[in-house]
Coordinates of all heavy atoms in Angstrom, one line a residue:
M1 N -0.4 -17.2 -51.9 CA 0.0 -16.9 -53.2 C 0.8 -18.2 -53.8 O 1.6 -18.8 -53.0 CB 1.0 -15.7 -53.2 CG 1.6 -15.4 -54.6 SD 2.5 -13.9 -54.6 CE 1.1 -12.7 -54.7
D2 N 0.5 -18.5 -55.0 CA 1.2 -19.7 -55.6 C 2.7 -19.3 -55.8 O 3.1 -18.3 -56.3 CB 0.6 -20.0 -56.9 CG 1.0 -21.3 -57.5 OD1 2.1 -21.8 -57.2 OD2 0.2 -21.9 -58.3
E3 N 3.5 -20.3 -55.3 CA 4.9 -20.1 -55.5 C 5.4 -19.8 -56.9 O 6.3 -19.2 -57.2 CB 5.6 -21.4 -55.0 CG 7.0 -21.3 -54.5 CD 7.8 -22.6 -54.5 OE1 7.1 -23.6 -54.5 OE2 9.0 -22.5 -54.5
R4 N 4.5 -20.3 -57.8 CA 5.0 -20.1 -59.3 C 4.9 -18.7 -59.7 O 5.6 -18.3 -60.7 CB 4.0 -21.0 -60.2 CG 4.6 -22.4 -60.4 CD 3.7 -23.2 -61.2 NE 2.4 -23.4 -60.5 CZ 1.4 -24.2 -60.9 NH1 1.5 -24.8 -62.1 NH2 0.3 -24.3 -60.2
A5 N 4.2 -17.9 -59.0 CA 4.0 -16.4 -59.2 C 5.4 -15.7 -59.0 O 5.6 -14.6 -59.5 CB 3.0 -15.8 -58.4
F6 N 6.3 -16.4 -58.3 CA 7.7 -15.8 -58.0 C 8.6 -16.0 -59.2 O 9.7 -15.3 -59.2 CB 8.3 -16.5 -56.9 CG 7.6 -16.4 -55.5 CD1 7.9 -17.2 -54.5 CD2 6.5 -15.5 -55.3 CE1 7.2 -17.2 -53.3 CE2 5.8 -15.4 -54.2 CZ 6.2 -16.3 -53.1
Y7 N 8.3 -16.8 -60.2 CA 9.2 -17.2 -61.2 C 8.7 -16.9 -62.6 O 7.5 -16.9 -62.8 CB 9.5 -18.7 -61.1 CG 10.1 -19.1 -59.8 CD1 9.2 -19.8 -58.9 CD2 11.4 -18.9 -59.5 CE1 9.7 -20.2 -57.7 CE2 11.9 -19.4 -58.3 CZ 11.1 -20.0 -57.4 OH 11.6 -20.5 -56.1
T8 N 9.6 -16.7 -63.5 CA 9.3 -16.6 -64.9 C 9.8 -18.0 -65.5 O 10.9 -18.3 -65.3 CB 10.1 -15.5 -65.6 OG1 9.9 -14.3 -64.9 CG2 9.7 -15.3 -67.0
E9 N 8.9 -18.7 -66.1 CA 9.2 -20.0 -66.6 C 9.6 -20.0 -68.1 O 9.0 -19.3 -68.8 CB 7.9 -20.9 -66.5 CG 7.6 -21.3 -65.0 CD 6.6 -22.4 -64.9 OE1 6.0 -22.8 -65.9 OE2 6.4 -22.9 -63.7
S10 N 10.5 -20.8 -68.4 CA 10.9 -21.1 -69.8 C 11.5 -22.5 -69.9 O 11.7 -23.1 -68.9 CB 12.0 -20.0 -70.2 OG 13.1 -20.0 -69.4
K11 N 11.8 -22.8 -71.1 CA 12.3 -24.2 -71.3 C 13.7 -24.1 -72.0 O 13.9 -23.2 -72.7 CB 11.4 -25.1 -72.1 CG 10.3 -25.6 -71.3 CD 9.5 -26.6 -72.1 CE 8.2 -27.0 -71.3 NZ 7.2 -27.7 -72.1
T12 N 14.5 -25.0 -71.6 CA 15.9 -25.1 -72.3 C 16.3 -26.5 -72.4 O 15.7 -27.4 -71.8 CB 16.9 -24.3 -71.5 OG1 18.1 -24.1 -72.2 CG2 17.3 -24.9 -70.1
T13 N 17.3 -26.7 -73.3 CA 17.9 -28.0 -73.5 C 19.3 -28.0 -73.1 O 20.0 -26.9 -73.3 CB 17.7 -28.6 -74.9 OG1 18.2 -27.7 -75.8 CG2 16.2 -28.9 -75.2
K14 N 19.8 -29.0 -72.5 CA 21.3 -29.1 -72.2 C 21.7 -30.5 -72.5 O 21.1 -31.5 -72.2 CB 21.3 -28.9 -70.6 CG 22.4 -28.0 -70.2 CD 22.3 -27.8 -68.8 CE 23.3 -28.6 -67.9 NZ 23.2 -28.3 -66.4
A15 N 22.9 -30.6 -73.2 CA 23.4 -31.9 -73.6 C 24.2 -32.5 -72.4 O 25.0 -31.8 -71.8 CB 24.3 -31.8 -74.7
I16 N 23.8 -33.7 -72.1 CA 24.4 -34.5 -71.0 C 24.8 -35.9 -71.5 O 24.0 -36.5 -72.2 CB 23.5 -34.6 -69.7 CG1 23.3 -33.2 -69.1 CG2 24.1 -35.6 -68.8 CD1 22.4 -33.1 -67.9
T17 N 26.0 -36.3 -71.3 CA 26.5 -37.6 -71.7 C 25.9 -38.7 -70.8 O 26.1 -38.6 -69.6 CB 28.0 -37.6 -71.7 OG1 28.5 -36.6 -72.7 CG2 28.5 -39.0 -72.3
L18 N 25.2 -39.6 -71.4 CA 24.6 -40.7 -70.7 C 25.0 -42.0 -71.3 O 25.2 -42.1 -72.5 CB 23.1 -40.6 -70.8 CG 22.4 -39.3 -70.1 CD1 20.9 -39.3 -70.6 CD2 22.5 -39.4 -68.6
Q19 N 25.2 -43.0 -70.4 CA 25.5 -44.3 -70.9 C 24.3 -45.2 -70.9 O 23.6 -45.4 -69.9 CB 26.7 -44.9 -70.0 CG 27.2 -46.2 -70.6 CD 28.3 -46.8 -69.7 OE1 28.0 -47.0 -68.5 NE2 29.4 -47.1 -70.3
C20 N 24.2 -45.9 -72.1 CA 23.1 -46.8 -72.2 C 23.4 -48.1 -71.3 O 24.4 -48.6 -71.4 CB 22.8 -47.2 -73.6 SG 21.8 -48.6 -73.9
P21 N 22.5 -48.5 -70.4 CA 22.7 -49.7 -69.6 C 22.7 -51.0 -70.4 O 23.2 -52.0 -69.9 CB 21.6 -49.6 -68.5 CG 20.5 -48.9 -69.2 CD 21.2 -47.9 -70.2
Y22 N 22.2 -51.0 -71.6 CA 22.1 -52.3 -72.4 C 23.4 -52.5 -73.2 O 23.9 -53.6 -73.2 CB 20.9 -52.2 -73.3 CG 19.6 -52.0 -72.6 CD1 19.0 -50.7 -72.5 CD2 19.0 -53.1 -71.8 CE1 17.9 -50.5 -71.7 CE2 17.8 -52.8 -71.1 CZ 17.3 -51.5 -71.0 OH 16.1 -51.4 -70.3
C23 N 23.8 -51.4 -73.9 CA 24.9 -51.7 -74.9 C 26.2 -50.9 -74.4 O 27.2 -51.0 -75.0 CB 24.5 -51.3 -76.3 SG 24.3 -49.5 -76.5
R24 N 26.1 -50.1 -73.4 CA 27.2 -49.3 -72.8 C 27.7 -48.2 -73.7 O 28.8 -47.8 -73.5 CB 28.3 -50.3 -72.4 CG 28.0 -51.4 -71.5 CD 28.0 -51.0 -70.1 NE 27.2 -51.9 -69.2 CZ 26.8 -51.6 -68.0 NH1 27.0 -50.4 -67.5 NH2 26.1 -52.5 -67.3
T25 N 27.0 -47.8 -74.7 CA 27.3 -46.7 -75.5 C 27.1 -45.4 -74.7 O 26.0 -45.1 -74.2 CB 26.5 -46.7 -76.8 OG1 26.6 -47.9 -77.5 CG2 26.8 -45.5 -77.7
S26 N 28.1 -44.5 -74.8 CA 28.0 -43.2 -74.1 C 27.8 -42.1 -75.2 O 28.6 -42.1 -76.2 CB 29.2 -42.9 -73.3 OG 29.2 -43.6 -72.1
E27 N 26.7 -41.4 -75.2 CA 26.4 -40.4 -76.2 C 25.9 -39.1 -75.4 O 25.2 -39.3 -74.5 CB 25.4 -40.9 -77.1 CG 25.9 -41.9 -78.2 CD 26.7 -41.2 -79.3 OE1 26.7 -40.0 -79.4 OE2 27.3 -41.9 -80.1
P28 N 26.1 -38.0 -75.9 CA 25.4 -36.8 -75.4 C 24.0 -36.8 -75.8 O 23.6 -37.1 -77.0 CB 26.2 -35.6 -76.0 CG 26.9 -36.2 -77.2 CD 27.0 -37.6 -77.0
H29 N 23.1 -36.6 -74.9 CA 21.7 -36.5 -75.1 C 21.1 -35.1 -74.7 O 21.5 -34.6 -73.6 CB 21.0 -37.5 -74.2 CG 21.1 -38.9 -74.7 ND1 20.3 -39.6 -75.6 CD2 22.1 -39.8 -74.4 CE1 20.8 -40.8 -75.8 NE2 21.9 -41.0 -75.1
E30 N 20.4 -34.5 -75.6 CA 19.8 -33.2 -75.3 C 18.6 -33.4 -74.3 O 17.5 -34.0 -74.7 CB 19.2 -32.6 -76.5 CG 20.2 -32.2 -77.6 CD 21.0 -30.9 -77.1 OE1 20.4 -30.1 -76.5 OE2 22.2 -30.8 -77.5
L31 N 18.7 -33.0 -73.1 CA 17.7 -33.2 -72.1 C 16.9 -31.8 -72.0 O 17.5 -30.7 -72.1 CB 18.2 -33.5 -70.8 CG 19.0 -34.9 -70.7 CD1 19.4 -35.1 -69.3 CD2 18.3 -36.1 -71.4
Q32 N 15.6 -32.0 -71.8 CA 14.7 -30.8 -71.6 C 14.5 -30.4 -70.2 O 14.3 -31.3 -69.3 CB 13.3 -31.1 -72.1 CG 13.2 -31.5 -73.5 CD 12.3 -30.4 -74.3 OE1 12.4 -29.3 -74.0 NE2 11.5 -30.9 -75.1
W33 N 14.8 -29.2 -69.9 CA 14.6 -28.6 -68.5 C 13.6 -27.5 -68.5 O 13.5 -26.7 -69.5 CB 15.9 -28.0 -68.1 CG 17.1 -29.0 -68.1 CD1 17.9 -29.5 -69.0 CD2 17.6 -29.6 -66.8 NE1 18.8 -30.4 -68.6 CE2 18.7 -30.5 -67.2 CE3 17.3 -29.4 -65.5 CZ2 19.4 -31.2 -66.3 CZ3 18.0 -30.2 -64.6 CH2 19.0 -31.1 -65.0
L34 N 12.9 -27.4 -67.4 CA 12.1 -26.3 -67.1 C 12.8 -25.3 -66.3 O 13.3 -25.7 -65.2 CB 10.8 -26.8 -66.4 CG 9.8 -25.6 -66.0 CD1 9.1 -25.0 -67.2 CD2 8.8 -26.2 -65.1
V35 N 13.0 -24.1 -66.7 CA 13.8 -23.2 -66.0 C 12.8 -22.2 -65.2 O 11.9 -21.6 -65.9 CB 14.6 -22.3 -67.0 CG1 15.5 -21.3 -66.2 CG2 15.5 -23.2 -67.7
R36 N 13.0 -22.1 -63.9 CA 12.2 -21.1 -63.1 C 13.2 -20.1 -62.7 O 14.0 -20.3 -61.7 CB 11.5 -21.8 -61.9 CG 10.4 -22.8 -62.3 CD 9.3 -22.8 -61.3 NE 8.1 -23.4 -61.9 CZ 7.7 -24.7 -61.5 NH1 8.3 -25.4 -60.6 NH2 6.6 -25.1 -62.1
K37 N 13.1 -18.9 -63.3 CA 13.9 -17.8 -63.0 C 13.2 -16.9 -62.0 O 12.1 -16.4 -62.3 CB 14.4 -17.0 -64.2 CG 15.6 -16.4 -64.0 CD 16.2 -15.9 -65.4 CE 17.6 -15.3 -65.2 NZ 17.9 -14.7 -63.9
K38 N 13.8 -16.6 -60.9 CA 13.2 -15.8 -59.8 C 13.0 -14.4 -60.4 O 13.9 -13.8 -61.0 CB 14.1 -15.7 -58.6 CG 13.5 -15.0 -57.5 CD 14.5 -15.0 -56.3 CE 13.9 -14.3 -55.1 NZ 14.8 -14.3 -54.0
K39 N 11.8 -13.8 -60.3 CA 11.6 -12.5 -60.7 C 12.3 -11.5 -59.9 O 12.6 -11.7 -58.7 CB 10.0 -12.2 -60.5 CG 9.2 -13.0 -61.6 CD 7.7 -12.6 -61.4 CE 7.0 -13.4 -62.6 NZ 5.5 -13.4 -62.3
P40 N 12.6 -10.4 -60.4 CA 13.5 -9.4 -59.7 C 12.7 -8.8 -58.6 O 13.3 -8.3 -57.6 CB 13.8 -8.3 -60.7 CG 12.8 -8.5 -61.9 CD 12.5 -10.0 -61.9
Q41 N 11.4 -8.7 -58.6 CA 10.6 -8.1 -57.5 C 9.5 -9.1 -57.1 O 8.9 -9.8 -57.9 CB 10.1 -6.8 -57.9 CG 11.0 -5.7 -57.9 CD 10.5 -4.4 -58.6 OE1 9.3 -4.4 -59.0 NE2 11.3 -3.4 -58.6
L42 N 9.1 -8.9 -55.9 CA 8.0 -9.6 -55.3 C 6.7 -9.3 -56.1 O 6.5 -8.0 -56.3 CB 7.8 -9.4 -53.9 CG 6.9 -10.1 -53.0 CD1 7.4 -11.6 -52.9 CD2 6.9 -9.6 -51.6
P43 N 5.9 -10.2 -56.5 CA 4.6 -9.8 -57.3 C 3.7 -9.1 -56.4 O 3.7 -9.1 -55.1 CB 4.0 -11.2 -57.6 CG 5.0 -12.2 -57.3 CD 6.0 -11.6 -56.4
R44 N 2.8 -8.3 -57.0 CA 1.8 -7.5 -56.3 C 0.9 -8.4 -55.5 O 0.6 -9.5 -56.0 CB 0.9 -6.8 -57.3 CG 1.3 -5.4 -57.6 CD 0.4 -5.0 -58.8 NE 1.2 -4.2 -59.8 CZ 1.2 -2.9 -60.0 NH1 0.3 -2.3 -59.2 NH2 1.9 -2.4 -60.8
G45 N 0.4 -7.9 -54.4 CA -0.6 -8.7 -53.6 C 0.1 -9.7 -52.7 O -0.7 -10.5 -52.1
A46 N 1.4 -9.7 -52.5 CA 2.1 -10.6 -51.7 C 2.0 -10.2 -50.3 O 1.9 -9.0 -49.9 CB 3.6 -10.6 -52.1
D47 N 1.7 -11.2 -49.4 CA 1.6 -10.8 -47.9 C 3.0 -11.2 -47.2 O 3.9 -11.4 -47.9 CB 0.4 -11.5 -47.3 CG 0.6 -13.1 -47.4 OD1 1.7 -13.6 -47.5 OD2 -0.4 -13.7 -47.2
E48 N 3.0 -11.0 -45.9 CA 4.2 -11.3 -45.2 C 4.8 -12.7 -45.4 O 6.0 -12.8 -45.5 CB 4.0 -11.1 -43.7 CG 4.0 -9.6 -43.2 CD 5.3 -8.9 -43.7 OE1 6.4 -9.4 -43.5 OE2 5.2 -7.8 -44.3
R49 N 3.9 -13.6 -45.4 CA 4.4 -15.1 -45.7 C 5.0 -15.2 -47.0 O 6.0 -15.9 -47.2 CB 3.3 -16.1 -45.5 CG 3.2 -16.7 -44.1 CD 2.1 -17.7 -43.9 NE 2.1 -18.6 -45.0 CZ 0.9 -19.3 -45.3 NH1 -0.1 -19.1 -44.6 NH2 0.9 -20.2 -46.3
D50 N 4.4 -14.6 -48.0 CA 4.9 -14.6 -49.3 C 6.3 -13.9 -49.4 O 7.2 -14.4 -50.1 CB 4.0 -14.0 -50.4 CG 2.7 -14.6 -50.5 OD1 2.6 -15.9 -50.4 OD2 1.7 -14.0 -50.7
R51 N 6.4 -12.9 -48.7 CA 7.6 -12.1 -48.7 C 8.8 -13.0 -48.1 O 9.9 -13.0 -48.7 CB 7.5 -10.9 -47.7 CG 8.4 -9.7 -48.0 CD 8.1 -8.6 -47.0 NE 6.7 -8.0 -47.3 CZ 6.4 -7.2 -48.2 NH1 7.3 -6.7 -49.0 NH2 5.1 -6.8 -48.5
A52 N 8.5 -13.7 -47.1 CA 9.5 -14.6 -46.4 C 9.9 -15.7 -47.4 O 11.1 -16.0 -47.6 CB 9.0 -15.1 -45.2
K53 N 8.9 -16.3 -48.0 CA 9.1 -17.4 -49.0 C 9.9 -16.8 -50.2 O 10.9 -17.5 -50.6 CB 7.8 -18.0 -49.5 CG 7.4 -19.1 -48.7 CD 6.3 -20.1 -49.2 CE 5.4 -19.6 -50.3 NZ 4.1 -20.4 -50.4
F54 N 9.5 -15.7 -50.6 CA 10.2 -15.1 -51.8 C 11.7 -14.8 -51.4 O 12.6 -15.1 -52.3 CB 9.6 -13.8 -52.3 CG 10.1 -13.2 -53.5 CD1 9.8 -13.7 -54.7 CD2 11.0 -12.1 -53.4 CE1 10.2 -13.2 -55.9 CE2 11.5 -11.5 -54.6 CZ 11.1 -12.0 -55.9
A55 N 12.0 -14.3 -50.3 CA 13.3 -14.0 -49.8 C 14.2 -15.4 -49.9 O 15.4 -15.3 -50.2 CB 13.4 -13.4 -48.5
K56 N 13.6 -16.4 -49.6 CA 14.4 -17.7 -49.5 C 14.4 -18.4 -50.8 O 15.2 -19.4 -51.0 CB 13.7 -18.6 -48.5 CG 14.2 -18.4 -47.1 CD 13.8 -19.5 -46.1 CE 12.4 -19.4 -45.7 NZ 11.8 -20.4 -44.8
S57 N 13.6 -18.0 -51.8 CA 13.6 -18.7 -53.1 C 14.8 -18.3 -54.0 O 15.3 -17.3 -53.8 CB 12.2 -18.5 -53.8 OG 12.1 -17.1 -54.1
A58 N 15.1 -19.3 -54.9 CA 16.2 -19.0 -55.8 C 15.9 -19.6 -57.2 O 15.0 -20.5 -57.3 CB 17.4 -19.6 -55.2
S59 N 16.5 -19.1 -58.2 CA 16.2 -19.6 -59.5 C 16.7 -21.1 -59.6 O 17.7 -21.4 -59.0 CB 17.0 -18.8 -60.6 OG 16.6 -17.4 -60.5
Y60 N 15.9 -21.9 -60.3 CA 16.4 -23.3 -60.5 C 15.8 -23.9 -61.7 O 14.9 -23.3 -62.4 CB 15.9 -24.1 -59.2 CG 14.4 -24.3 -59.0 CD1 13.8 -25.5 -59.3 CD2 13.7 -23.2 -58.5 CE1 12.5 -25.6 -59.1 CE2 12.3 -23.4 -58.3 CZ 11.7 -24.6 -58.7 OH 10.3 -24.8 -58.5
M61 N 16.3 -25.1 -62.1 CA 15.7 -25.8 -63.2 C 15.4 -27.2 -62.8 O 16.0 -27.8 -62.0 CB 16.5 -25.6 -64.4 CG 17.9 -26.0 -64.4 SD 18.7 -25.4 -66.0 CE 19.9 -26.7 -66.1
V62 N 14.3 -27.7 -63.5 CA 13.9 -29.1 -63.1 C 14.0 -29.9 -64.5 O 13.5 -29.5 -65.5 CB 12.4 -29.1 -62.7 CG1 11.9 -30.4 -62.3 CG2 12.2 -28.1 -61.7
L63 N 14.5 -31.1 -64.3 CA 14.6 -32.0 -65.5 C 13.2 -32.5 -65.9 O 12.4 -33.0 -65.0 CB 15.6 -33.1 -65.1 CG 15.8 -34.1 -66.3 CD1 16.6 -33.4 -67.4 CD2 16.7 -35.2 -65.7
L64 N 12.8 -32.3 -67.1 CA 11.5 -32.8 -67.5 C 11.5 -34.2 -68.1 O 10.6 -34.9 -68.0 CB 11.0 -31.9 -68.7 CG 10.7 -30.4 -68.3 CD1 10.2 -29.6 -69.5 CD2 9.6 -30.4 -67.2
D65 N 12.6 -34.6 -68.8 CA 12.7 -35.9 -69.4 C 13.0 -36.9 -68.2 O 13.8 -36.6 -67.3 CB 13.9 -36.0 -70.4 CG 13.6 -35.2 -71.5 OD1 12.4 -35.2 -72.1 OD2 14.5 -34.4 -72.0
D66 N 12.5 -38.1 -68.4 CA 12.9 -39.2 -67.4 C 13.5 -40.4 -68.2 O 14.1 -41.3 -67.6 CB 11.8 -39.6 -66.5 CG 10.6 -40.1 -67.1 OD1 10.5 -40.0 -68.5 OD2 9.7 -40.6 -66.5
K67 N 13.2 -40.4 -69.5 CA 13.9 -41.5 -70.3 C 14.5 -40.9 -71.6 O 14.0 -39.8 -72.1 CB 12.7 -42.4 -70.7 CG 12.3 -43.4 -69.7 CD 11.2 -44.3 -70.3 CE 10.9 -45.6 -69.6 NZ 11.0 -45.6 -68.2
V68 N 15.4 -41.6 -72.1 CA 16.0 -41.2 -73.4 C 16.2 -42.5 -74.2 O 16.2 -43.6 -73.7 CB 17.4 -40.5 -73.3 CG1 17.3 -39.1 -72.7 CG2 18.4 -41.4 -72.6
A69 N 16.3 -42.3 -75.6 CA 16.4 -43.4 -76.4 C 18.0 -43.5 -76.8 O 18.6 -42.5 -77.1 CB 15.6 -43.2 -77.7
C70 N 18.4 -44.7 -76.7 CA 19.9 -45.0 -77.1 C 20.1 -44.6 -78.5 O 19.3 -44.8 -79.4 CB 20.2 -46.4 -76.9 SG 21.9 -46.9 -77.2
K71 N 21.3 -43.9 -78.7 CA 21.7 -43.6 -80.1 C 22.3 -44.6 -80.9 O 22.6 -44.4 -82.1 CB 22.5 -42.2 -80.0 CG 21.7 -41.1 -79.5 CD 22.5 -39.7 -79.6 CE 21.6 -38.6 -79.2 NZ 22.5 -37.4 -79.1
N72 N 22.7 -45.6 -80.3 CA 23.3 -46.7 -81.0 C 22.2 -47.4 -81.9 O 21.3 -48.0 -81.4 CB 23.9 -47.8 -80.1 CG 24.6 -48.9 -80.7 OD1 24.4 -49.2 -81.9 ND2 25.3 -49.8 -79.9
L73 N 22.3 -47.4 -83.2 CA 21.3 -47.8 -84.1 C 21.0 -49.3 -84.0 O 19.9 -49.8 -84.3 CB 21.7 -47.5 -85.6 CG 21.8 -46.0 -86.0 CD1 22.2 -45.8 -87.3 CD2 20.5 -45.3 -85.7
R74 N 22.0 -50.1 -83.5 CA 21.7 -51.5 -83.3 C 21.0 -51.8 -81.9 O 20.6 -52.9 -81.7 CB 23.0 -52.3 -83.4 CG 23.4 -52.6 -84.8 CD 24.8 -53.1 -84.9 NE 25.7 -52.2 -84.3 CZ 27.0 -52.4 -84.0 NH1 27.5 -53.6 -84.3 NH2 27.8 -51.6 -83.5
C75 N 20.9 -50.7 -81.1 CA 20.3 -50.9 -79.8 C 18.9 -50.2 -79.7 O 17.9 -50.7 -79.7 CB 21.2 -50.4 -78.8 SG 20.7 -50.4 -77.1
R76 N 19.0 -48.8 -79.7 CA 17.9 -47.9 -79.7 C 16.9 -48.2 -78.6 O 15.7 -47.8 -78.7 CB 17.2 -48.0 -81.1 CG 18.1 -47.7 -82.2 CD 17.3 -47.3 -83.5 NE 16.8 -45.9 -83.4 CZ 16.5 -45.2 -84.4 NH1 16.5 -45.8 -85.6 NH2 16.1 -44.0 -84.3
K77 N 17.3 -48.8 -77.6 CA 16.4 -49.0 -76.4 C 16.2 -47.7 -75.6 O 17.1 -46.9 -75.6 CB 17.0 -50.1 -75.5 CG 16.9 -51.5 -76.0 CD 17.2 -52.5 -74.9 CE 16.9 -53.9 -75.3 NZ 17.9 -54.5 -76.2
R78 N 15.1 -47.6 -75.0 CA 14.8 -46.5 -74.1 C 15.3 -46.8 -72.7 O 15.1 -48.0 -72.3 CB 13.4 -46.1 -74.1 CG 12.9 -45.4 -75.4 CD 11.5 -45.2 -75.4 NE 11.1 -44.2 -74.5 CZ 11.2 -42.9 -74.6 NH1 11.8 -42.3 -75.7 NH2 10.9 -42.0 -73.7
F79 N 15.9 -45.9 -72.0 CA 16.3 -46.2 -70.7 C 16.1 -45.0 -69.8 O 16.0 -43.9 -70.3 CB 17.8 -46.7 -70.6 CG 18.9 -45.7 -71.2 CD1 19.4 -44.8 -70.3 CD2 19.2 -45.7 -72.5 CE1 20.4 -43.9 -70.8 CE2 20.2 -44.8 -73.1 CZ 20.7 -43.9 -72.2
D80 N 16.0 -45.3 -68.5 CA 15.8 -44.3 -67.5 C 17.0 -43.3 -67.3 O 18.2 -43.9 -67.4 CB 15.5 -44.9 -66.2 CG 14.1 -45.5 -66.1 OD1 13.2 -45.0 -66.8 OD2 13.9 -46.5 -65.4
I81 N 16.8 -42.2 -67.2 CA 18.0 -41.2 -66.9 C 18.2 -41.4 -65.4 O 17.4 -41.2 -64.6 CB 17.5 -39.8 -67.1 CG1 17.2 -39.6 -68.6 CG2 18.6 -38.8 -66.7 CD1 16.6 -38.3 -68.9
S82 N 19.5 -41.8 -65.1 CA 19.9 -41.9 -63.7 C 21.2 -41.3 -63.6 O 22.0 -41.1 -64.5 CB 19.9 -43.4 -63.3 OG 20.7 -44.1 -64.1
G83 N 21.5 -40.9 -62.4 CA 22.8 -40.2 -62.2 C 22.8 -38.8 -62.6 O 23.9 -38.1 -62.6
V84 N 21.7 -38.3 -63.0 CA 21.6 -36.8 -63.3 C 20.7 -36.1 -62.2 O 19.7 -36.7 -61.9 CB 20.9 -36.6 -64.7 CG1 20.7 -35.1 -65.0 CG2 21.6 -37.3 -65.8
K85 N 21.3 -35.1 -61.7 CA 20.5 -34.4 -60.7 C 19.3 -33.8 -61.4 O 19.4 -33.1 -62.4 CB 21.4 -33.2 -60.1 CG 22.2 -33.8 -58.9 CD 23.1 -32.6 -58.4 CE 22.2 -31.5 -57.7 NZ 23.1 -30.5 -57.2
T86 N 18.1 -34.1 -60.8 CA 16.9 -33.7 -61.5 C 16.5 -32.1 -61.2 O 15.6 -31.6 -61.9 CB 15.8 -34.5 -61.2 OG1 15.6 -34.6 -59.8 CG2 16.0 -35.9 -61.8
T87 N 17.1 -31.6 -60.2 CA 17.0 -30.2 -60.1 C 18.4 -29.6 -59.8 O 19.3 -30.1 -59.4 CB 16.1 -29.7 -58.8 OG1 16.7 -30.4 -57.7 CG2 14.7 -30.2 -58.9
A88 N 18.5 -28.3 -60.4 CA 19.7 -27.5 -60.3 C 19.4 -26.1 -59.9 O 18.5 -25.6 -60.6 CB 20.5 -27.7 -61.6
F89 N 20.2 -25.6 -59.0 CA 19.9 -24.2 -58.7 C 20.9 -23.4 -59.6 O 21.9 -23.8 -60.0 CB 20.3 -23.9 -57.2 CG 19.1 -24.4 -56.4 CD1 19.2 -25.7 -55.8 CD2 18.0 -23.6 -56.2 CE1 18.1 -26.1 -55.1 CE2 16.9 -24.1 -55.4 CZ 17.0 -25.3 -54.9
L90 N 20.3 -22.2 -60.0 CA 21.0 -21.4 -61.0 C 21.7 -20.1 -60.3 O 21.0 -19.6 -59.3 CB 20.1 -20.9 -62.0 CG 19.3 -21.9 -62.8 CD1 18.3 -21.3 -63.6 CD2 20.3 -22.7 -63.6
A91 N 22.8 -19.8 -60.8 CA 23.5 -18.6 -60.3 C 22.6 -17.4 -60.7 O 22.1 -17.4 -61.8 CB 24.8 -18.5 -60.7
E92 N 22.5 -16.4 -59.8 CA 21.6 -15.2 -60.2 C 22.4 -14.4 -61.2 O 23.6 -14.3 -61.1 CB 21.4 -14.3 -59.0 CG 20.6 -15.0 -57.9 CD 19.1 -15.2 -58.4 OE1 18.6 -14.3 -59.1 OE2 18.6 -16.2 -58.0
Ligands
LIG101 ZN1 22.1 -48.9 -76.1

C-alpha cells in the first residue's frame, strides 16, 4: 500500500522571516507547505505491514518552496531558503 494512502493532503502557507544573503534584508516570506495529515483510521485493504507502518506514521508537513525573491525593491534577487527545516511534524 502506498504510504500516501495514510494521509489527507492539503496545502498551507506559513510566514517565515528570511534574510537575503545579498543585501541582508530580513523580511517575512509566505512559504508553501504540503500538509500530510494522518487519517484517523487505517485505510481499507491494509495488511499487517501497512498496519505497522501506519502505527508509526505521524502527521507532518513538507516545504515546497526552495527559493524566494528578496522583497527589497533595489535587490529583488532570488535566493535559496536555508536554515528552515524542510519537514515538520505536527501535533495530533
Ligand atoms: Zn536582497
Side-chain angles (χ1 to χ4, degrees):
M1 178 173 282
D2 191 331
E3 202 198 344
R4 273 177 294 185
F6 300 164
Y7 302 100
T8 308
E9 290 192 349
S10 60
K11 281 187 185 168
T12 191
T13 56
K14 222 172 104 178
I16 291 179
T17 302
L18 297 168
Q19 189 183 52
C20 172
Y22 303 100
C23 68
R24 306 273 161 201
T25 299
S26 284
E27 284 282 353
H29 291 267
E30 292 284 333
L31 302 183
Q32 294 243 44
W33 297 80
L34 175 68
V35 181
R36 291 214 166 109
K37 204 165 185 338
K38 188 179 176 178
K39 288 180 178 170
Q41 279 169 7
L42 193 63
R44 266 171 223 254
D47 61 19
E48 278 309 309
R49 261 180 52 200
D50 295 328
R51 202 177 300 275
K53 267 196 337 200
F54 186 77
K56 275 192 279 179
S57 63
S59 304
Y60 66 103
M61 54 189 212
V62 185
L63 185 61
L64 295 175
D65 294 317
D66 60 349
K67 278 180 165 36
V68 292
C70 180
K71 289 185 178 175
N72 178 350
L73 296 176
R74 283 171 299 173
C75 173
R76 308 197 75 160
K77 285 194 172 75
R78 287 176 69 78
F79 60 92
D80 287 326
I81 297 168
S82 55
V84 176
K85 272 176 72 180
T86 53
T87 53
F89 287 92
L90 304 172
E92 293 295 324

